[in-house]
Amino acid sequence: MLTGDASYIKKINRSLIIREILKVGMISRADLSKITELTRATISAQVADLLEDELVIETQLEHSAVGRKPIMLSLNGQAGYALGIDLDYRQVSFTLSNLLGIPVTTEVMNINTDSYADIVTLLITNIKKFQKKFSDTRYGIVGIVIAIHGLVSNEEWIQFVPRFHWNGVDLKGDLEKGVGVEIHLENNANLSALAERVFIHHETDNLLCVALYSGIGLGMMMNQQFFRGRNGYAGEVGHMIVVPEGEPCACGNKGCFEKYASETSVFDNLARVKHVDNITYEQIQRWLDEDDAHVRDIMEQFIYYLSIGLNNMINMYNPDVIVLDSELLRLFPDSLNKIRQNLHSQISHYRELTLSTIGKRSCGLGACALAITDFLDVPILNLPCPD
C-alpha cells in the first residue's frame, strides 16, 4: 500500500486510473477498482475530479442483460490537442492530435532556407496559427514537441543538426519567447521509438527503432523510458564503423554504418550505376519488378551491411523488439527474412524483428504522444494506432 504525502499519493492514483482507462478505452468504476486495487471510495473521488476537469466522460453501455446498465468511463479526447512538429531538412510537418493520439490535421510545408532565424520565424508563425485555431476547447493545445534530426542534449539544447549546419543553438528558448508557452525538443529517432511503443507494441518494455532514411538514427526505449546517455546523444549508430578505412564520412571517420546501410547510400549507388539523378521509390520498385540484376545486387549489399549493424545493436542492448523504418525494405521482397538469415549468432537474442507500419508519420505521432504523456502525467500511454 502506498504511504506518504497525501497529495503525492493522490497524484499517483490519478495517473494509474488514467492509464488504465486509456489501456482499455472504456471501463466501469467497479472494474477500475479491481484492476488498480484501489478502494471504490478512492475511485469515486478520483473519477469525480476527472469528470469536473472534463478529462473523462461517462457513457451508458447498451446491452441486453437484465439489470442496471453500467456507466462506462473513457478519456475525453476532445478536451485538448497536442502539436507534434517534425523539423526535417527542406520540410517541416505539423501534426495536431486529440488527447487520444488521433490526428486531427496534418500540414506539410517545404523549407527553402537553412537560415536559423528564418526557420524560427516560420515555426513561431505556424505555432501561433494552431494556438489560435484550436483554442476553443477546455485545454486548447496541451503541449508542443518538436522532433530534431540531430543531437539534442538532456537540457533540450541543440548541439548539432548536420543538414542545417546548426551548432549550439537554443531553439527551445527562442521559440518560447516567440509563442509564450513551453516547448519541448526531442531527437527524431527517440520520438519514432515512442510512437512504435505507444501505438503498436503495447507490451514491450525494451524497443529499438532504427530509421534508415537520410542517415541512420536509433531510438531506444528501455524499461519504457528513453535511453539518452550521459549528455542525451546516445543512439548515433549511423557513425559506428562497419568497414575499417572505408568511405569517408562527414563526421570525420571512415567506414561509418550510414555510408553503407542508409537509404541515401542506396540511392547514391543506384544513381552511379544507372546514371540517373533524383531516383524515386517508384523507379526502384519498377526495377525490382523487372528483376534488374544491378538493382538487386545493390539491395542485397544494403541488406548485408544493415545486418552487420543490427547484429551489433542486438548484442549491445538485448531488446524485445527491433522496428526497422525503411521504405526500401518494404519494397524489397522478403527483406526481413533475408536480414534474419544473417543474424545467426548464438549470442544474439531478441524477440521480434519487424518493419514499421507507421513509417514517416512516426516522428509527428511520437511528438504528439510525448505531449499527451506530459499533460496527463502518466509514465507511458497505450493508444490505438491511427489509420
Side-chain angles (χ1 to χ4, degrees):
M1 177 178 290
L2 287 171
T3 59
D5 181 77
S7 62
Y8 176 72
I9 294 173
K10 183 177 180 180
K11 178 182 176 181
I12 294 296
N13 289 341
R14 180 185 174 101
S15 173
L16 180 60
I17 289 168
I18 291 173
R19 186 177 177 187
E20 290 303 324
I21 292 173
L22 283 169
K23 187 181 293 184
V24 297
M26 188 178 290
I27 192 170
S28 68
R29 289 172 174 79
D31 287 339
L32 262 179
S33 180
K34 290 176 186 175
I35 292 172
T36 62
E37 298 183 347
L38 297 173
T39 66
R40 294 201 174 199
T42 297
I43 294 292
S44 294
Q46 288 275 359
V47 168
D49 287 344
L50 290 169
L51 287 168
E52 184 178 351
D53 293 340
E54 297 182 27
L55 286 175
V56 165
I57 55 176
E58 292 181 317
T59 305
Q60 194 163 52
L61 189 65
E62 297 293 336
H63 65 90
S64 57
V66 176
R68 186 177 177 182
K69 297 175 182 177
I71 302 295
M72 308 299 286
L73 304 168
S74 56
L75 190 80
N76 180 11
Q78 311 310 315
Y81 303 97
L83 180 59
I85 303 172
D86 182 10
L87 179 58
D88 203 352
Y89 183 64
R90 299 301 187 198
Q91 182 175 282
V92 58
S93 303
F94 298 85
T95 300
L96 191 94
S97 80
N98 66 15
L99 295 186
L100 295 174
I102 300 170
V104 174
T105 183
T106 300
E107 295 184 15
V108 180
M109 299 178 58
N110 291 327
I111 302 175
N112 298 314
T113 177
D114 295 341
S115 164
Y116 177 74
D118 289 345
I119 291 174
V120 167
T121 299
L122 180 149
L123 290 172
I124 289 173
T125 299
N126 282 276
I127 289 170
K128 285 183 173 180
K129 180 187 73 175
F130 279 100
Q131 287 176 315
K132 182 178 180 180
K133 186 175 180 180
F134 294 94
S135 62
D136 59 345
T137 59
R138 173 70 182 265
Y139 296 100
I141 293 181
V142 303
I144 301 167
V145 176
I146 303 179
I148 303 298
H149 293 245
L151 298 181
V152 181
S153 75
N154 288 328
E155 293 76 31
E156 300 181 60
W157 176 272
I158 294 181
Q159 178 67 24
F160 182 49
V161 179
R163 301 298 291 273
F164 286 127
H165 305 290
W166 292 352
N167 287 277
V169 296
D170 185 17
L171 181 63
K172 173 183 170 70
D174 291 335
L175 291 178
E176 288 178 345
K177 290 174 188 174
V179 300
V181 297
E182 190 172 20
I183 304 283
H184 289 291
L185 308 185
E186 184 55 76
N187 174 264
N188 65 299
N190 281 345
L191 291 173
S192 291
L194 179 62
E196 295 290 344
R197 167 59 185 81
V198 166
F199 294 104
I200 305 293
H201 300 279
H202 293 164
E203 304 305 319
T204 300
D205 290 330
N206 299 290
L207 180 146
L208 303 182
C209 181
V210 188
L212 301 168
Y213 295 107
S214 57
I216 300 180
L218 173 65
M220 295 176 281
M221 298 291 296
M222 296 293 170
N223 296 318
Q224 300 186 356
Q225 296 181 335
F226 291 134
F227 180 82
R228 293 189 176 94
R230 178 175 177 270
N231 300 112
Y233 308 148
E236 291 298 315
V237 296
H239 298 287
M240 65 179 172
I241 296 172
V242 296
V243 179
E245 294 302 312
E247 293 186 33
C249 179
C251 77
N253 282 326
K254 294 180 180 179
C256 289
F257 186 32
E258 67 179 38
K259 299 299 292 184
Y260 297 86
S262 66
E263 290 199 351
T264 295
S265 70
V266 174
F267 279 99
D268 288 346
N269 286 334
L270 286 172
R272 199 158 44 242
V273 169
K274 290 290 189 180
H275 307 290
V276 176
D277 294 327
N278 301 317
I279 292 172
T280 65
Y281 290 113
E282 290 75 19
Q283 285 175 299
I284 295 175
Q285 181 68 75
R286 220 164 32 244
W287 288 329
L288 288 172
D289 292 341
E290 294 166 358
D291 201 25
D292 185 296
H294 291 302
V295 175
R296 190 163 289 277
D297 286 346
I298 288 172
M299 291 296 293
E300 292 286 358
Q301 178 177 293
F302 170 53
I303 293 286
Y304 170 75
Y305 284 112
L306 177 57
S307 302
I308 291 174
L310 289 175
N311 180 77
N312 294 340
M313 286 180 251
I314 290 166
N315 286 334
M316 281 189 285
Y317 297 110
N318 184 212
D320 292 329
V321 175
I322 309 107
V323 181
L324 304 178
D325 188 6
S326 165
E327 190 61 32
L328 288 180
L329 291 179
R330 283 185 275 272
L331 297 180
F332 195 41
D334 210 27
S335 60
L336 280 185
N337 280 333
K338 292 177 185 292
I339 294 170
R340 291 189 189 104
Q341 288 166 12
N342 290 331
L343 301 176
H344 42 62
S345 169
Q346 293 186 21
I347 62 170
S348 294
H349 295 285
Y350 63 95
R351 177 165 58 82
E352 181 181 357
L353 175 69
T354 184
L355 286 174
S356 173
T357 57
I358 306 176
K360 290 186 176 181
R361 297 184 300 156
S362 62
C363 275
L365 289 174
C368 290
L370 183 57
I372 296 167
T373 300
D374 290 344
F375 172 68
L376 295 178
D377 198 15
V378 294
I380 195 73
L381 296 170
N382 284 349
L383 298 174
C385 184
D387 296 332

